[in-house]
Amino acid sequence: MGFATNAIHVGQEPDPSTGAVVLPIYQTSTYQYEELGKSRGGYDYARTNHPNRKALERTIAKLEGGLNAYVFTSGMAGIDAVFRLLRPGDHVVLSEAVYGGVYRLTTQLLVHFGLEFSFVDTSDPAVVLGAFRPNTKMIYVETPTNPTMRITDISAMAKLANERHATLVVDNTFLTPYLQKPIDLGAHIVVHSLTKYLNGHSDATGGTVVLTRPDDAERIYFIQRSAGAGLAPMDCFLTSRGIKTLAVRMLQHNANGLAVARHLDAHPKVRKVFYPGLVHHPHHELARKQQKGPGAMLSFDLGSEEAVRRFLNQVKICTLAESLGGVESLISLPAQMTHSSMPKEVRDRIGISDSLVRLSVGIEDVEDIIADIDQALLYI
Ligand SMILES: Cc1ncc(COP(=O)(O)O)c(C=O)c1O
């Protein structure tokens, strides 16, 4: 079956007990046993599992091409579970421009549990190789990076990881399996913030971990049910509903992203645009090879904090807010919002300047998005 068919049907079969075409929300914390030691439908307690979670997990595993998927209360809860696959003393090489929350989780929390982290430019395989230590057990890649839009060659990372018995984890939040299939390129684990494109409607948080190896799957499920951060029924229901339209949404996001990026690129008040779909992007060719499209995330530099302040206070259709990947265009200032937990010297080194604006291009009429940006740019 094709991607859109799978997104609508896998895990979304009519409810066996009633024939309901849409799986009802199983808003119950516990399940009656048929007899002692025997559950009715394989469910006993909602922390461990429930029908809405199972349905969503099946859809995601299918779309990413994984063996299993597990869904968590947020992207960060899923990413935290992935790092719990490691042991004290293990070392991880990560993309240097990861989402600020991942930087905070690793540098301020997980280091205290004996894990070691090195942040490097993963777009250069030689740099990644140079960062390897005898205790390196994982490569953690965000591609494109948030918000600098640098691209990492997933196949090259998989080769490095396989040669050195390390696990390759790819955060596929920015592109979704519609535009990029990390597992086909050799990734062992894929993570997402479901809060973004997979849900697509900015009405629930969630995260997922997609596995390719039975051992990893077993351990992630153990972590999910032991630590208790599995996604709740209502949030699974909302995310399952969102995923059904993923293919059409991504097509429109992609088209709008490209149009807005080209417009900004030609605008005299915009210093620089970072978007892999533009031919001058340093990783344009790699993006064309590894992605089905450039996506709808981009960033651009307006030259000064003052210019950014005036611009962001004038936009109307582009909503000034954290997050991304919803049907509505969302705009933010990473230095003060998503990446504020990263020290300024680190942000400056990796290109997250105080005047870098991030835009998640929505699926409104693209003329309206562009007109909104243009009127706000008049104020700087
Ligand atoms: C690329 C990326 N990964 C992971 C996360 C974390 O997801 P959540 O906010 O759902 O915890 C985010 C959040 O913005 C993100 O942008």
Side-chain angles (χ1 to χ4, degrees), residues 231-303:
L231 197 59
M234 179 69 182
D235 296 335
C236 289
F237 172 86
L238 289 169
T239 310
S240 287
R241 187 177 61 167
I243 282 188
K244 289 178 190 172
T245 56
L246 183 63
V248 284
R249 281 190 286 108
M250 291 317 289
L251 275 174
Q252 196 58 46
H253 274 299
N254 211 48
N256 284 7
L258 192 56
V260 171
R262 285 183 176 151
H263 184 80
L264 285 168
D265 201 38
H267 200 290
K269 288 195 175 164
V270 177
R271 291 265 175 101
K272 195 164 180 194
V273 181
F274 302 86
Y275 181 69
L278 295 174
V279 284
H280 63 64
H281 186 282
H283 308 136
H284 178 66
E285 277 314 313
L286 175 59
R288 280 172 60 99
K289 195 177 103 197
Q290 143 173 309
Q291 303 172 193
K292 203 170 135 193
M297 293 303 302
L298 56 90
S299 54
F300 54 100
D301 205 309
L302 290 181

Side-chain angles (χ1 to χ4, degrees), residues 16-68:
S17 57
T18 60
V21 170
V22 175
L23 186 68
I25 306 166
Y26 281 82
Q27 196 65 40
T28 177
S29 60
T30 191
Y31 293 81
Q32 184 190 32
Y33 277 71
E34 199 171 313
E35 61 185 60
L36 191 60
K38 192 172 171 203
S39 66
R40 279 178 186 276
Y43 300 103
D44 49 24
Y45 186 54
R47 167 159 49 72
T48 312
N49 211 345
H50 54 77
N52 297 100
R53 192 186 293 166
K54 198 166 189 174
L56 175 60
E57 291 176 342
R58 283 186 54 216
T59 316
I60 295 171
K62 183 70 181 177
L63 297 183
E64 281 290 1
L67 186 66
N68 302 79

Side-chain angles (χ1 to χ4, degrees), residues 74-76 79 99 102 142 146 171 173-174 193 195-196 205-206 324 358:
S74 68
M76 290 315 304
I79 292 165
Y99 166 58
V102 175
E142 237 180 68
N146 181 1
D171 183 331
T173 299
F174 269 31
S193 167
T195 319
K196 319 302 184 199
T205 66
L324 60 104
R358 186 184 80 179

Side-chain angles (χ1 to χ4, degrees), residues 12-152:
Q12 301 295 329
E13 297 81 7
D15 184 35
S17 57
T18 60
V21 170
V22 175
L23 186 68
I25 306 166
Y26 281 82
Q27 196 65 40
T28 177
S29 60
T30 191
Y31 293 81
Q32 184 190 32
Y33 277 71
E34 199 171 313
E35 61 185 60
L36 191 60
K38 192 172 171 203
S39 66
R40 279 178 186 276
Y43 300 103
D44 49 24
Y45 186 54
R47 167 159 49 72
T48 312
N49 211 345
H50 54 77
N52 297 100
R53 192 186 293 166
K54 198 166 189 174
L56 175 60
E57 291 176 342
R58 283 186 54 216
T59 316
I60 295 171
K62 183 70 181 177
L63 297 183
E64 281 290 1
L67 186 66
N68 302 79
Y70 294 96
V71 296
F72 291 82
T73 50
S74 68
M76 290 315 304
I79 292 165
D80 178 59
V82 167
F83 288 126
R84 291 187 202 208
L85 293 172
L86 301 170
R87 296 273 178 272
D90 288 348
H91 173 244
V92 186
V93 180
L94 301 93
S95 301
E96 58 188 358
V98 279
Y99 166 58
V102 175
Y103 188 83
R104 180 175 51 215
L105 173 74
T106 51
T107 60
Q108 294 182 38
L109 189 66
L110 297 178
V111 281
H112 302 306
F113 294 86
L115 296 178
E116 297 168 19
F117 301 98
S118 299
F119 296 86
V120 301
D121 180 2
T122 51
S123 67
D124 185 347
V127 171
V128 176
L129 183 59
F132 256 77
R133 300 178 190 165
N135 57 338
T136 304
K137 294 285 164 54
M138 188 177 275
I139 306 175
Y140 182 96
V141 166
E142 237 180 68
T143 182
T145 47
N146 181 1
T148 49
M149 305 306 296
R150 293 179 71 77
I151 310 288
T152 294

